[in-house]
Amino acid sequence: MPKVKVYVTLKPGILDPQGATVAKALKSLGFRDVEDVRIGKFIELYMSDVEEDEIPQQVEEMCRKLLANPVIENYSFEIEK
Amino acid sequence: MPKVKVYVTLKPGILDPQGATVAKALKSLGFRDVEDVRIGKFIELYMSDVEEDEIPQQVEEMCRKLLANPVIENYSFEIEK
């Protein structure tokens, strides 16, 4: 079954309060070398009965329609066979 | 500034209601080939003033202490120079 790994990240410049909180928590745990943290989503899709060459187009559409908010997020994906 | 990409995923067998909801939504949008969806975290760490060979050990410790819950989640990471 083909597996697709989708990475959704906030665009540069978009505030990431969750990341800022994690950066602060890491520093207070003693990890003083951490400068910045950005938190995104890592989505694994398992697909069946699909022509392999249709996957990129389908996943692109899924990202635009549901998985990412293209106004504030970037996305990329990798297909594993 | 070295950048570390951390992937946090739910262990196999752990229920993922968020993933199940996304799978259902994708199907109702017409993506009928989607069998299963698992949602994890994609964390980007920007580090400074750190010896490169210390990074793996530090990130491993960050994952165990804060970024992942080792009871229900797996983690892996990649270091970009």
Side-chain angles (χ1 to χ4, degrees):
Chain A
M1 194 187 297
K3 177 178 164 185
V4 184
K5 295 176 173 181
V6 181
Y7 308 93
V8 180
T9 51
L10 282 171
K11 288 189 177 171
I14 302 287
L15 273 185
D16 181 2
Q18 195 187 0
T21 305
V22 168
K24 217 169 139 184
L26 286 171
K27 279 181 195 169
S28 77
L29 283 172
F31 300 105
R32 296 185 194 287
D33 306 319
V34 175
E35 282 295 306
D36 195 16
V37 178
R38 304 283 286 175
I39 298 188
K41 275 175 287 180
F42 174 55
I43 303 168
E44 291 163 299
L45 302 170
Y46 297 87
M47 304 183 70
S48 66
D49 298 331
V50 61
E51 297 291 327
E52 296 230 334
D53 51 358
E54 286 181 14
I55 296 180
Q57 194 204 326
Q58 284 206 17
V59 175
E60 182 75 33
E61 208 181 327
M62 288 180 209
C63 288
R64 272 189 290 109
K65 287 192 176 168
L66 187 83
L67 303 178
N69 175 350
V71 178
I72 58 166
E73 290 171 330
N74 290 327
Y75 56 83
S76 60
F77 56 86
E78 278 170 12
I79 299 161
E80 271 182 17
K81 270 130 205 182
Chain B
M1 196 187 296
K3 177 178 165 185
V4 184
K5 295 176 172 182
V6 181
Y7 309 93
V8 180
T9 52
L10 283 171
K11 288 189 177 173
I14 302 288
L15 274 185
D16 181 2
Q18 195 188 358
T21 305
V22 169
K24 217 170 140 182
L26 286 171
K27 279 180 194 169
S28 77
L29 284 172
F31 300 104
R32 296 185 194 286
D33 306 320
V34 175
E35 282 295 305
D36 195 15
V37 178
R38 305 282 287 175
I39 298 187
K41 276 175 286 183
F42 174 54
I43 303 167
E44 291 163 299
L45 301 170
Y46 297 86
M47 303 183 68
S48 66
D49 299 331
V50 61
E51 296 290 327
E52 296 231 334
D53 51 358
E54 286 181 14
I55 296 180
Q57 193 204 327
Q58 283 206 17
V59 176
E60 182 74 35
E61 207 181 326
M62 288 181 209
C63 288
R64 272 189 290 109
K65 287 193 175 167
L66 187 82
L67 302 178
N69 175 351
V71 178
I72 58 166
E73 290 171 330
N74 289 328
Y75 56 84
S76 60
F77 56 86
E78 279 170 11
I79 299 161
E80 271 182 16
K81 270 129 208 182

